[in-house]
């Protein structure tokens, strides 16, 4: 750091330190603190915080693990980072992250943590840990709902793997500190008067910045140039300082490693290409809704926010000018489809109050985590998912989302099953206990049972298939085949009688035939048992109510 | 529900009749793999992989492949039955059967069907029977899970056994290859005066 910047820093930043934690460094000249107030917001150790990253639409999110001031008066925070799914998309494997999921960095190597200037902080961010690790104070349902993001796994930067077990320490920080804060030390309300309103400024500032990018994208006609204003702004404004930070201070690890690919790379299993951007817009907009400040008022607040005052006036004018231009231009005719699409998405988001539907699988996993997932058994297998929803609505008075489980060769076809997502955990628990205390009998004498739904580990998909063999030097060949030319016809063929493969295939036929017989016998036995009990039912269909 | 619902359902049933259900599929199999695999025999209209949410994760994949006609379905079924058909690996063949309505996750409601239901209170004379049925449901689910496990075990056993056989063959061939390559076979043949030529050895 150049020493000359000292004075500037002193002038431009208003930081109030909280309690001192101690001193450190070689000359014992580094002061450590427990908290600080920056730009009207009080930050504590282990808070989750958003940081600028120049040229990037999305902010970087991390946990503050050290707060200190160097003898040069530089104010520095050490941050353990979170990864967004998009950043580690090449290493997700078959893990299907949720739209608001993050991964805590772990392991050893670049990217776990680094030091950053306090000035690069954008604002606070709520990230809840949903891990059922014993050391993690379990988050309440409302906390989970309110949170901007959640994390359940860590991403080990050394092994480049998603790990669901938390190590004892991450970068020397006890993992207890990285989990959710214990209730008693949870300081959700800013303790200083006037902080809250400033926090709103903070938020709207963030949103306007991100929003601006989107707007500019429309004005400039294409998205690439839309990013520039943010960079420019950060150069002229606050983050004169950002530029002074050596590149390594940014969270550029993943970039160094080539982890981040341009978003044009097909994302495969990860998510839609546009999703991350949409998500950030949506996030921001959701915050707007929470703030419920009308646009004008928000602008006024922004005008007063200290960070704006600090900025170079010409830049500010430029910025406002741009905005006025864009606000008039509601639907731009110009621009690439991409930009237009983005704008449209953001426009649409404004009207939406809830969050958009995540893919079914994500919702399913989330429901399992929240305990709102119920498995209904002994339904009529011919029911459709809608009919199951109707049935639950009629019998339990709950609006749910249902999905029938398809016929399977490894389950008695007499039993129809369905996965049902209730709106709340209480509703799900209530339904299960209702079904067990009383009995819901269907027209044909079936008794519906319900139990807490549990999914198999959807992320864990074994690629090694039992019965598909490969050997010796042919191994690499088959592997390459499966990776590269998956959709080549050569991967599928009828077996010829003069091969070893044919003989082995016949052995499989035999086994399949044998197991079919097993299932047939089991199903027959089960049907007999069912019939035996069912005949004892008396007035089944007599007074049933009908579902239209 | 008017006639349109009936029409929709009839169209759906027709689709079912044109569809083949496959299981014993490797997890590597994707929609495009299936499509290209059966494009050899018929026009593939659509492919749906059936997700496995509750079963064991090493269970084979299942899929529905919609063809252009019911006749083609019959042909594909008999072919897969007659010749072991491999997709994305060997030697475990895929298995096929005619699709049924229950195998589809999204399907129209059968027109004219009425669902009835009733709550049985503990005081109801049928309540005990109902409880018995509930127990049975749980028991049967457990039995199915157990049998599925057994089946997996059998499959693993067979795979291992085949792997060993394969390794044995492989070793043998490697041995033959090496003695031909280093000239030992030739030397021995000369030593014992056997009419073994390089050419013949290679041919076998």
């Amino acid at each position: 750091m150049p020493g000359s910047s000292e004075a500037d820093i002193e002038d431009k930043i208003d930081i109030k330190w909280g309690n001192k934690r101690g001193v450190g460094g070689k000359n014992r000249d580094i002061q450590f603190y427990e908290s600080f107030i920056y730009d009207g917001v009080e930050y504590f150790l282990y808070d989750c915080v958003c940081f600028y990253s120049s040229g990037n639409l999305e902010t970087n999110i991390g946990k503050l693990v050290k707060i200190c001031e160097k003898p040069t008066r530089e104010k520095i925070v050490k941050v353990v980072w979170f990864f967004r799914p998009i950043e580690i998309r090449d290493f997700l494997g078959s893990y299907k992250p949720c739209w608001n999921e993050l991964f805590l960095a772990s392991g050893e190597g670049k990217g776990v943590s680094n030091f950053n200037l306090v000035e690069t902080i954008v604002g606070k961010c709520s990230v809840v840990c949903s891990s059922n690790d014993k050391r993690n104070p379990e988050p309440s349902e409302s906390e989970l709902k309110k949170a901007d993001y959640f994390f359940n796994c860590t991403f080990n930067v050394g092994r480049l793997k998603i790990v669901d077990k938390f190590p004892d320490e991450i970068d020397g920080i006890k993992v207890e500190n990285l989990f959710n804060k214990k209730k008693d030390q949870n300081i959700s309300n800013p303790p200083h008067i006037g902080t809250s309103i400033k926090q709103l400024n903070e938020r709207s500032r963030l949103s306007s910045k991100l929003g601006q990018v989107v707007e500019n994208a429309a004005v400039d006609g294409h998205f690439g140039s839309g990013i520039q204003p943010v960079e420019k702004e950060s150069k002229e404004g606050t983050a004169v300082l950002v530029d002074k930070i050596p590149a390594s201070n940014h969270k550029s690890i993943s970039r160094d490693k080539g982890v981040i690919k341009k978003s044009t790379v097909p994302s495969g299993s990860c998510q839609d290409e546009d999703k991350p951007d949409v998500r950030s817009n949506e996030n921001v907009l959701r915050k707007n809704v929470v703030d419920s400040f009308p646009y004008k008022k928000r602008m006024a607040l922004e005008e007063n926010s200290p960070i704006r005052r600090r900025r170079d006036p010409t830049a500010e004018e430029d910025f406002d000018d741009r905005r006025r231009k864009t606000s008039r231009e509601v639907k731009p005719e110009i621009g690439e489809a991409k930009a237009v699409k983005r704008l449209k998405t953001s426009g649409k988001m404004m009207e939406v109050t809830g969050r958009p539907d995540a893919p079914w699988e994500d919702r399913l996993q989330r429901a399992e985590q929240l305990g709102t997932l119920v498995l209904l058994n002994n339904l009529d297998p011919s029911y459709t998912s809608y009919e199951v929803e109707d049935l639950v609505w009629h019998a339990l008075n709950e609006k749910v989302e249902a999905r029938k489980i398809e016929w399977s060769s490894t389950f008695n076809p007499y039993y129809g099953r369905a996965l049902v997502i209730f709106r709340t955990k209480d509703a799900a628990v209530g339904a299960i206990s209702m079904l067990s205390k009383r009995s819901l009998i269907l027209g044909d004498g079936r008794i519906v049972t319900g139990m807490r739904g549990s999914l198999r580990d959807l992320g864990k998909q074994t690629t090694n298939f039992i019965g598909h063999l490969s050997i010796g030097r042919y191994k690499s060949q088959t592997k390459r085949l499966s990776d590269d030319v998956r959709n080549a016809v050569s991967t599928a063929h009828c077996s010829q009688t003069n091969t070893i493969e044919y003989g082995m295939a016949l052995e499989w036929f035999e086994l399949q035939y044998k197991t079919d017989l097993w299932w047939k016998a089991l199903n027959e036995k089960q049907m007999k048992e069912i019939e035996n009990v069912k005949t004892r039912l008396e007035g089944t269909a007599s007074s049933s109510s009908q579902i239209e | 529900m008017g006639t349109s619902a009936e029409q929709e359902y009839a169209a759906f049933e027709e689709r079912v009749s044109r569809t083949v259900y496959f299981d014993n599929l490797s997890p590597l199999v994707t929609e495009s793999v299936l499509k290209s695999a059966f494009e050899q025999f018929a026009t593939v209209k659509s492919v749906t992989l059936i997700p496995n949410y509750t079963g064991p994760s090493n269970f084979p994949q299942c899929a529905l492949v919609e063809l252009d006609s019911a006749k083609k379905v019959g042909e594909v079924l008999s072919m897969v039955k007659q010749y072991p058909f491999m997709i994305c690996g060997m030697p475990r063949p895929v298995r096929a059967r005619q699709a049924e309505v229950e195998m589809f996750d999204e399907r129209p409601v059968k027109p004219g069907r009425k669902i009835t239901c009733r709550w049985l209170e503990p005081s109801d004379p049928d309540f005990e029977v109902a409880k018995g049925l509930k127990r049975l449901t749980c028991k049967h689910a457990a039995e199915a899970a157990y049998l599925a496990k057994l089946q997996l075990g059998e499959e693993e056993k067979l795979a291992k056994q085949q792997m060993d056989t394969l390794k044995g063959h492989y070793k043998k061939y490697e041995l033959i290859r090496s003695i031909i390559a280093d000239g030992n076979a030739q030397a021995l043949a000369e030593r014992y005066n056997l009419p073994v030529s390089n050419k013949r050895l290679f041919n076998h």
Side-chain angles (χ1 to χ4, degrees):
Chain A
M1 276 296 142
S4 60
S5 65
E6 222 181 280
D8 297 2
I9 296 173
E10 213 28 46
D11 287 341
K12 291 208 174 184
I13 311 158
D14 56 331
I15 291 184
K16 286 201 190 85
W17 295 112
N19 291 340
K20 204 177 259 187
R21 255 172 103 84
V23 288
K26 267 184 206 153
N27 305 322
R28 305 193 54 77
D29 49 6
I30 299 175
Q31 316 275 333
F32 289 92
Y33 296 93
E34 278 175 4
S35 69
F36 62 93
I37 301 172
Y38 165 60
D39 213 5
V41 181
E42 184 159 26
Y43 296 90
F44 290 86
L45 273 181
Y46 311 120
D47 270 353
C48 294
V49 172
C50 294
F51 290 83
Y52 281 114
S53 71
S54 53
N56 240 350
L57 241 195
E58 303 208 23
T59 53
N60 290 323
I61 300 170
K63 262 185 194 272
L64 304 180
V65 295
K66 266 179 200 153
I67 299 169
C68 50
E69 187 177 37
K70 282 193 177 176
T72 54
R73 316 293 301 262
E74 280 175 77
K75 294 146 180 78
I76 289 182
V77 285
K78 189 182 184 192
V79 184
V80 171
W81 292 109
F82 286 107
F83 291 99
R84 296 185 190 256
I86 195 84
E87 292 176 292
I88 54 167
R89 55 152 64 140
D90 286 357
F91 308 102
L92 287 171
S94 47
Y95 189 94
K96 296 250 158 53
C98 286
W99 65 277
N100 60 345
E101 184 163 359
L102 296 175
F103 299 89
L104 187 64
S106 70
E108 278 170 28
K110 265 187 168 180
V112 175
S113 70
N114 61 4
F115 286 95
N116 288 270
L117 289 181
V118 165
E119 295 86 328
T120 53
I121 291 177
V122 177
K124 277 201 198 189
C125 174
S126 71
V127 182
V128 168
C129 179
S130 62
S131 169
N132 49 15
D133 191 297
K134 266 188 222 136
R135 298 162 289 185
N136 181 35
E138 207 180 314
S140 74
E141 216 172 297
S142 65
E143 273 173 329
L144 261 176
K145 255 187 212 157
K146 265 193 264 164
D148 296 323
Y149 298 98
F150 76 94
F151 67 102
N152 195 26
C153 299
T154 70
F155 180 75
N156 190 310
V157 297
R159 294 193 291 137
L160 297 172
K161 266 215 166 78
I162 292 173
V163 190
D164 57 358
K165 295 247 166 14
F166 285 80
D168 291 337
E169 282 187 353
I170 292 176
D171 203 42
I173 307 297
K174 279 204 175 120
V175 74
E176 282 84 350
N177 292 323
L178 301 173
F179 282 133
N180 300 328
K181 291 184 183 179
K182 291 214 179 74
K183 293 284 182 288
D184 50 7
Q185 63 185 68
N186 191 356
I187 304 151
S188 53
N189 293 325
H192 287 262
I193 307 160
T195 327
S196 61
I197 194 105
K198 281 189 178 166
Q199 200 166 19
L200 289 173
N201 297 351
E202 193 76 23
R203 280 179 171 184
S204 51
R205 214 181 69 216
L206 164 65
S207 58
S208 72
K209 260 174 203 153
L210 290 170
Q212 187 208 354
V213 173
V214 176
E215 283 169 5
N216 277 314
V219 171
D220 294 341
H222 57 93
F223 198 67
S225 61
I227 266 171
Q228 280 168 354
V230 162
E231 269 178 337
K232 193 170 141 203
E233 185 189 317
S234 56
K235 268 179 201 138
E236 287 162 356
T238 6
V240 183
L241 304 147
V242 175
D243 282 354
K244 287 183 188 148
I245 310 169
S248 62
N249 264 9
H250 283 294
K251 189 193 173 191
S252 51
I253 24 92
S254 16
R255 257 148 268 155
D256 295 341
K257 284 198 179 169
V259 178
I260 301 183
K261 296 265 162 72
K262 289 218 177 80
S263 59
T264 43
V265 177
S267 49
S269 68
C270 172
Q271 50 202 163
D272 294 340
E273 255 182 55
D274 282 331
K275 204 169 155 195
D277 305 310
V278 171
R279 189 181 58 183
S280 70
N281 292 342
E282 190 255 352
N283 250 337
V284 165
L285 294 162
R286 198 154 51 105
K287 275 179 184 155
N288 286 352
V289 173
V290 175
D291 293 350
S292 69
F293 272 98
Y295 185 62
K296 264 199 176 153
K297 197 166 176 186
R298 217 176 66 215
M299 253 174 74
L301 278 169
E302 262 166 40
E303 235 58 74
N304 294 330
S305 89
I307 202 155
R308 303 260 315 157
R309 262 186 271 130
R310 277 207 305 272
R311 214 174 279 141
D312 179 18
T314 49
E316 191 169 325
E317 232 174 65
D318 183 18
F319 170 53
D320 280 343
D321 192 33
R322 264 173 202 279
R323 186 159 54 187
R324 246 171 272 129
K325 214 160 92 195
T326 47
S327 56
R328 251 181 281 125
E329 214 169 316
V330 184
K331 271 186 190 165
E333 319 85 299
I334 38 153
E336 275 173 29
K338 213 172 178 184
V340 174
K341 195 169 145 204
R342 259 169 238 265
L343 189 83
K344 272 190 183 156
T345 347
S346 72
K348 201 169 81 197
M349 293 301 190
M350 277 293 195
E351 294 144 28
V352 175
T353 47
R355 68 158 185 248
D357 270 0
W360 166 254
E361 224 156 83
D362 292 352
R363 277 180 285 153
L364 209 56
Q365 274 177 315
R366 198 146 170 78
E368 191 196 17
Q369 283 163 9
L370 296 173
T372 56
L373 187 67
V374 173
L375 177 71
L376 294 181
N377 198 351
N378 204 3
L379 300 162
D380 189 318
S382 68
Y383 285 0
T384 63
S385 302
Y386 311 110
E387 285 170 311
V388 176
E389 284 171 10
D390 287 346
L391 177 71
V392 176
W393 166 248
H394 193 83
L396 295 160
N397 226 340
E398 288 290 344
K399 215 169 160 204
V400 295
E401 227 181 327
R403 190 188 191 283
K404 278 301 294 286
I405 295 178
E406 291 92 343
W407 179 95
S408 155
S409 63
T410 55
F411 209 84
N412 190 339
Y414 168 82
Y415 289 112
R417 292 176 297 167
L419 284 167
V420 178
I421 299 178
F422 283 79
R423 276 181 305 183
T424 62
K425 189 177 176 181
D426 290 345
V429 172
I432 292 172
S433 81
M434 188 88 139
L435 286 171
S436 79
K437 271 189 213 135
R438 297 158 79 195
S439 287
L440 183 65
I441 184 164
L442 300 178
D444 59 351
R446 288 169 186 273
I447 311 288
V448 181
T449 63
M451 59 186 279
R452 202 179 153 165
S454 64
L455 304 172
R456 76 180 175 87
D457 198 346
L458 290 179
K460 221 170 63 191
Q461 181 72 267
T462 43
T463 43
N464 219 354
F465 183 53
I466 300 169
H468 279 180
L469 313 176
S470 54
I471 188 162
R473 64 200 181 96
Y474 301 107
K475 210 175 219 166
S476 54
Q477 213 177 342
T478 45
K479 200 167 173 233
R480 208 190 55 219
L481 201 71
S482 60
D483 288 348
D484 289 353
V485 258
R486 271 208 193 168
N487 42 11
V489 180
S490 62
T491 52
H493 63 277
C494 277
S495 193
Q496 297 303 313
T497 47
N498 59 354
T499 57
I500 302 178
E501 166 201 286
Y502 183 80
M504 291 183 167
L506 288 191
E507 288 175 351
W508 279 100
F509 268 168
E510 211 174 296
L511 180 62
Q512 283 171 3
Y513 182 69
K514 190 169 95 180
T515 51
D516 276 350
L517 286 182
W518 287 1
W519 285 104
K520 211 173 139 208
L522 179 74
N523 293 346
E524 272 169 15
K525 186 205 84 159
Q526 292 185 343
M527 287 318 293
K528 220 176 259 168
E529 287 174 352
I530 295 166
E531 284 309 315
N532 283 345
V533 181
K534 230 169 144 183
T535 46
R536 304 212 314 265
L537 280 177
E538 285 161 28
T540 41
S542 55
S543 56
S544 303
S545 61
Q546 214 173 64
I547 299 168
E548 286 300 324
Chain B
M1 294 203 195
T3 47
S4 67
E6 274 162 31
Q7 272 167 8
E8 195 192 340
Y9 197 76
F12 169 69
E13 278 186 320
E14 196 266 335
R15 188 155 75 95
V16 173
S17 74
R18 282 188 287 107
T19 305
V20 193
Y21 176 89
F22 288 97
D23 58 8
N24 282 281
L25 294 174
S26 151
L28 291 175
V29 170
T30 61
E31 273 109 344
S32 60
V33 168
L34 278 171
K35 194 162 170 9
S36 59
F38 292 102
E39 210 85 276
Q40 309 173 58
F41 312 106
T43 314
V44 177
K45 292 250 171 154
S46 71
V47 177
T48 318
L49 290 174
I50 297 176
N52 168 19
Y53 292 126
T54 50
S57 40
N58 50 353
F59 232 61
Q61 278 203 105
C62 308
L64 292 165
V65 178
E66 184 191 347
L67 304 176
D68 52 343
S69 75
K71 193 168 144 258
K72 290 280 184 202
V73 170
E75 285 172 23
V76 167
L77 285 179
S78 72
M79 180 206 62
V80 173
K81 207 170 218 164
Q82 211 173 345
Y83 307 99
F85 193 76
M86 327 267 174
I87 302 178
C88 274
M90 358 180 237
R92 185 172 179 177
V94 302
R95 185 168 58 170
R97 63 173 83 210
Q98 171 74 53
E100 285 166 43
V101 173
E102 283 80 27
M103 294 165 181
F104 289 78
D105 127 58
E106 271 179 39
R107 55 173 193 257
V109 175
K110 199 174 177 175
R113 203 237 313 263
K114 298 268 185 283
I115 298 176
T116 58
C117 69
R118 182 165 66 98
W119 282 105
L120 289 179
E121 301 302 328
S123 56
D124 198 286
D126 279 345
F127 191 76
E128 277 309 306
V129 187
K131 252 169 89 179
L133 274 173
K134 275 196 238 175
R135 269 199 299 274
L136 215 52
T137 307
C138 291
K139 187 184 125 197
H140 288 168
E143 281 173 351
Y146 179 68
L147 194 60
K149 220 171 103 191
L150 274 188
Q151 184 181 332
L152 266 179
E154 283 287 303
E155 287 166 358
E156 260 164 26
K157 215 170 82 191
L158 180 60
K160 194 177 170 295
Q161 183 198 319
Q162 290 188 337
M163 193 67 203
D164 291 345
T165 322
L166 207 59
K167 269 186 188 151
H169 286 305
Y170 181 70
K171 245 187 183 157
K172 215 158 59 190
Y173 283 122
E174 284 290 282
L175 189 71
I176 293 170
R177 204 200 323 273
S178 72
I179 62 163
I180 290 171
D182 63 13
N184 271 339
Q186 198 66 29
L188 280 171
E190 272 164 25
R191 178 87 174 76
Y192 293 105
N193 217 2
L194 287 171
V196 179
S197 74
N198 253 346
K199 219 172 161 192
R200 255 185 79 191
L201 268 174
F202 273 123
N203 281 345
H204 278 274

